[in-house]
Amino acid sequence: MVEKSRLSVWIAHSVLILGILAIALPIYVAFVASTHDVRTVAQAPMPLVPGPHLWENYARALGQGSDSVGNVPVAAMLANSFIMAMVIATAKIVISLLSAFAIVYFRFPFRMGFFWMIFITLMLPVEVRIVPTYEVVANALAPVQSLLNATGLTWLIERLAGLRVSLEWNMLDTYAGLTVPLVASATATFLFRQVFLTMPDEMTEAARIDGAGPVRFLFDILLPLSRTNIAALFVILFIYGWNQYLWPLLVSSNLLTVQIGIGRMLAVGDGQVDWPIVMASTMLAMIPPVIVVVAMQRAFIKGLVETEK
Amino acid sequence: MATVDIRAVRKTYPGLPFEVIKGIDCAIADGELLVMLGPSGCGKSTLLRMVAGLERISQGEIAIAGRVVNDLEPKDRNIAMVFQNYALYPHMSVYANMSYGLRIQRLPKAEIDRRVRDAAAILELEPFLQRKPRALSGGQRQRVAMGRAIVREPDVFLFDEPLSNLDAKLRTQMRVEIKRLQQRLATTSLYVTHDQVEAMTLADRLMVMRDGVAEQIGTPMEVYTHPATVFVGGFIGAPAMNFLQGEVAEGGAVRLPGGVALPAGTAAPGQAGRPVTVGIRPEHLAPAGEGVPGLPVTLTVDLAEALGADTLVHGRLAGTDTSLIARLAGHVQARSGEAMALTVTDGAWHLFDVESGRRLADTVGRLAKPAA
């Protein structure tokens, strides 16, 4: 039992307040910087009260963007980021739901082999496999090509038809290239596996006697019962997707996400960084994840805490 | 309406060196309620699940309504099952729970509605149709589970310990309800339980199981008055039957420890010297001098438990280490250490083979055999 003396309440609250200040202060400074013009922000000391250029700065960021990124409007970047995060979160959930469903409810050859293969991918995040993954995205048909070369088919076709077979499927600078390599998720698969394992066997059997086939069982019973877990996972995965930096940096040069966009705005060499626009973009970039967290907060907590099935 | 035929059914699990079900034969008549009773791990649930189609049948066959169902999916067997933990779908209302199977069968809406409302009326669930299972009490949930079985209008009901999650009072009440319901619907039923009171009161016939073997199949009274094996005798009845080691003497008398002997003609003649196990139920011991004809024995009292209506006297047969329990009337007083003169009701003894545990020829025991 946690002690509830007056002193400990005070200590606990001061720690929490300090923590909140530590987190909130930089955000406040960023906000202040987004409300002044370049000159005011650049001078030292920087003012700590909001200035008069709020609407102007935000409108400029959203509508025109910064010259240093070729005037791509932040609104477009936000849209790109949003699409990327949504696709990643949704596809991750769909794929891991299906794979967990297969692993828990079906007996097929090498079931455990597949299980461990999924498990091993935990040790291979994008950062580790970034070069080969890039190669695949740059030409998704490269493996097929090398197979054709190795088996001599390329040679055969060239001989017979006089055509040089050269397959290419470039996914750089596309939404697919941005999202597909991040979509497989061992963590989410395990989460759903655990959720499914807590479903009482007798309920599964009752559904079998009621005549529910696998698909019906998935949609009528499993999905509704995993609703809160799906919501919680969606929150986590949306933020994961939203925060992607390294991978988009590599594969997309024209399809800018807001994170990459802000990075580009800072890389002006000897020029003057347009701090108000950068900070306005930063503030804007924080809004979607905040909305997702706030909107799904209740489901999120329920999904992580609730055990009753 | 349907019969269930279980023919030489066996069950093995891959990787298990022994059989879980070791060849069971049983024919269940149309409308009959067969209770499968036994200690945990005896295979009773496995057998039920094989009838349901939730476990594969390793050998032998099961026929429902004359049709062999070995290779049929549960949904095609026209059965309905009630589970121990109810197995309701927690996210569906009572109505949706009960109608789910019918909706999958794509029955017309009106037909589904009629069936659900009929079942709800029988089970007094009408006020709860729109509630979720979590808003119901244990007894109500159990009734929903039964409702889900009834609406299917199945050939066979399968009950897998449906009452073990309820408290004692509710259990008694639900037991009566199940019995009444089963008689009203006259649906063939298989009922698994480890509770002998439940088994005795519900069963048309009883199958007592141990280690994958049906030790005895018979009406509850048959099983009680003529247990086929030492196990059945000991398992049914509380307190349990007393067992004494005896030996057949000349003329078919049976010598018991402490110089007592069952009268001549008890055992089949010509078996002198054969060791036997003698079973005597605690209620067949009465204080001497109450005019009950029978065999006088003396009990050295160890302990008396007064239960109100009855007094259970634990003791040893005088001069021996053979312990006995007697169930006497509530007013009987007994003090630890005293010698008590008792009478074993004439003929109320059961003789079993020592080796096999099987009941010896039914010339033994003169209690009237009930009409089967």
Side-chain angles (χ1 to χ4, degrees):
Chain A
M1 187 59 199
V2 181
E3 205 188 326
K4 273 191 180 161
S5 77
R6 189 172 276 269
L7 182 72
S8 67
V9 169
W10 271 100
I11 293 174
H13 277 81
S14 14
V15 170
L16 288 174
I17 289 166
L18 274 175
I20 290 169
L21 283 179
I23 293 168
L25 197 65
I27 298 175
Y28 176 73
V29 173
F31 172 71
V32 169
S34 72
T35 59
H36 288 283
D37 57 19
V38 189
R39 272 221 333 265
T40 327
V41 175
Q43 83 194 6
M46 195 194 113
L48 280 177
V49 284
H53 300 281
L54 183 128
W55 293 119
E56 179 195 329
N57 288 340
Y58 280 83
R60 192 150 67 87
L62 274 175
Q64 287 171 251
S66 165
D67 333 326
S68 54
V69 281
N71 285 328
V72 179
V74 174
M77 298 181 191
L78 284 171
N80 286 341
S81 277
F82 185 75
I83 291 169
M84 177 178 75
M86 282 303 276
V87 170
I88 289 179
T90 315
K92 260 182 191 278
I93 285 172
V94 170
I95 288 181
S96 42
L97 250 175
L98 289 176
S99 44
F101 182 51
I103 283 173
V104 175
Y105 287 100
F106 291 85
R107 302 281 164 275
F108 51 89
F110 310 116
R111 193 171 68 99
M112 285 322 277
F114 284 108
F115 178 78
W116 286 110
M117 270 166 69
I118 294 173
F119 193 83
I120 282 171
T121 63
L122 272 181
M123 287 179 252
L124 301 169
V126 189
E127 290 79 359
V128 176
R129 55 185 164 89
I130 199 153
V131 174
T133 308
Y134 181 86
E135 258 186 69
V136 171
V137 170
N139 183 4
L141 290 176
V144 182
Q145 173 83 56
S146 43
L147 197 74
L148 290 180
N149 292 348
T151 53
L153 273 172
T154 318
W155 176 82
L156 199 67
I157 293 167
E158 195 172 355
R159 263 309 166 83
L160 296 175
L163 292 170
R164 174 89 201 156
V165 177
S166 171
L167 302 170
E168 199 183 328
W169 179 15
N170 186 336
M171 291 199 287
L172 296 177
D173 251 337
T174 63
Y175 288 120
L178 213 49
T179 53
V180 170
L182 300 174
V183 149
S185 171
T187 330
T189 307
F190 287 124
L191 187 123
F192 283 123
R193 177 175 173 268
Q194 286 320 112
V195 171
F196 292 167
L197 288 178
T198 62
M199 304 273 175
D201 288 345
E202 292 189 338
M203 201 178 62
T204 315
E205 288 168 351
R208 260 182 86 189
I209 291 177
D210 269 340
V215 176
R216 208 177 251 286
F217 177 67
L218 176 66
F219 282 100
D220 287 355
I221 315 261
L222 281 186
L223 279 188
L225 288 177
S226 323
R227 223 179 37 229
T228 51
N229 305 86
I230 293 175
L233 198 63
F234 179 83
V235 173
I236 295 173
L237 293 180
F238 182 87
I239 290 169
Y240 165 86
W242 187 264
N243 285 344
Q244 281 306 313
Y245 183 69
L246 184 62
W247 180 249
L249 190 63
L250 208 63
V251 292
S252 58
S253 34
N254 298 320
L255 193 68
L256 284 183
T257 65
V258 71
Q259 290 75 11
I260 305 298
I262 293 171
R264 292 261 181 93
M265 290 180 203
L266 295 172
V268 288
D270 288 338
Q272 169 70 52
V273 175
D274 195 351
W275 283 112
I277 300 300
V278 171
M279 287 306 159
S281 311
T282 309
M283 296 308 290
L284 289 169
M286 283 196 302
I287 293 172
V290 167
I291 289 176
V292 167
V293 169
V294 170
M296 303 188 73
Q297 189 187 25
R298 279 188 49 191
F300 179 70
I301 290 168
K302 241 174 127 186
L304 294 185
V305 175
E306 194 178 59
T307 50
E308 190 223 5
K309 279 277 122 54
Chain B
M1 293 295 110
T3 56
V4 176
D5 294 293
I6 298 170
R7 300 187 199 115
V9 164
R10 292 170 181 276
K11 177 72 185 175
T12 46
Y13 285 106
L16 264 191
F18 54 87
E19 286 180 313
V20 181
I21 303 285
K22 296 168 184 162
I24 288 183
D25 282 279
C26 185
I28 298 126
D30 181 25
E32 188 181 19
L33 196 160
L34 178 87
V35 173
M36 300 189 270
L37 175 70
S40 49
C42 70
K44 54 191 191 300
S45 282
T46 309
L47 185 59
L48 188 81
R49 292 164 56 82
M50 287 202 283
V51 177
L54 297 170
E55 301 274 356
R56 288 201 63 77
I57 300 160
S58 307
Q59 258 186 65
E61 57 182 29
I62 292 176
I64 296 175
R67 181 176 61 143
V68 175
V69 295
N70 284 34
D71 296 321
L72 289 185
E73 276 290 301
K75 67 179 163 77
D76 301 323
R77 296 188 179 198
N78 205 14
I79 47 122
M81 189 154 169
V82 179
F83 294 89
Q84 178 176 351
N85 69 6
Y86 326 130
L88 301 178
Y89 311 122
H91 58 295
M92 294 187 195
S93 69
V94 169
Y95 189 99
N97 260 289
M98 283 165 65
S99 61
Y100 185 60
L102 305 181
R103 280 182 281 143
I104 290 179
Q105 292 174 28
R106 298 182 189 284
L107 290 186
K109 266 221 161 67
E111 170 72 5
I112 295 178
D113 195 62
R114 184 189 65 74
R115 288 202 198 177
V116 172
R117 298 210 177 272
D118 282 357
I122 295 174
L123 296 163
E124 294 167 15
L125 283 171
E126 285 150 318
F128 310 115
L129 281 177
Q130 296 315 319
R131 289 211 199 159
K132 294 276 171 67
R134 88 172 74 88
L136 299 178
S137 69
Q140 289 164 343
R141 286 182 205 186
Q142 187 56 62
R143 285 214 288 271
V144 176
M146 280 168 32
R148 188 167 63 177
I150 293 172
V151 294
R152 291 176 61 88
E153 300 181 354
D155 284 341
V156 185
F157 282 137
L158 305 173
F159 296 94
D160 192 1
E161 310 216 8
L163 303 182
S164 4
N165 277 8
L166 301 177
D167 61 56
K169 193 178 160 197
L170 205 53
R171 200 180 302 165
T172 316
Q173 189 189 329
M174 288 301 291
R175 195 169 72 206
V176 178
E177 276 187 40
I178 289 183
K179 181 76 178 172
R180 199 179 294 144
L181 190 69
Q182 197 267 341
Q183 282 175 348
R184 172 171 171 181
L185 301 172
T187 305
T188 315
S189 303
L190 274 72
Y191 189 108
V192 162
T193 182
H194 61 261
D195 179 337
Q196 49 163 305
V197 180
E198 220 168 283
M200 294 293 284
T201 52
L202 280 174
D204 291 326
R205 272 195 307 159
L206 206 55
M207 177 195 285
V208 184
M209 291 181 65
R210 178 173 68 151
D211 294 343
V213 174
E215 296 253 324
Q216 185 170 10
I217 302 173
T219 65
M221 279 321 278
E222 227 168 70
V223 172
Y224 189 77
T225 56
H226 290 75
T229 62
V230 170
F231 172 78
V232 175
F235 191 73
I236 303 226
M241 188 183 262
N242 296 300
F243 291 107
L244 300 87
Q245 294 311 315
E247 194 189 289
V248 179
E250 288 303 323
V254 177
R255 272 200 297 272
L256 294 177
V260 190
L262 304 180
T266 302
Q271 296 191 332
R274 175 181 184 173
V276 289
T277 302
V278 177
I280 298 170
R281 291 210 181 269
E283 63 267 35
H284 290 143
L285 289 157
E290 287 191 353
V292 185
L295 175 77
V297 292
T298 312
L299 193 68
T300 312
V301 177
D302 284 334
L303 174 75
E305 295 176 293
L307 303 179
D310 299 318
T311 298
L312 300 182
V313 178
H314 300 249
R316 280 161 292 126
L317 207 53
T320 69
D321 272 342
T322 308
S323 54
L324 273 183
I325 298 177
R327 180 170 173 175
L328 307 175
H331 60 80
V332 175
Q333 306 265 325
R335 250 184 314 276
S336 171
E338 79 177 9
M340 203 175 188
L342 296 172
T343 308
V344 181
T345 310
D346 208 7
W349 38 72
H350 309 264
L351 263 60
F352 301 98
D353 184 57
V354 171
E355 293 277 304
S356 67
R358 300 210 71 81
R359 183 181 192 85
L360 291 176
D362 248 325
T363 52
V364 164
R366 276 167 251 158
L367 287 182
K369 188 169 180 164

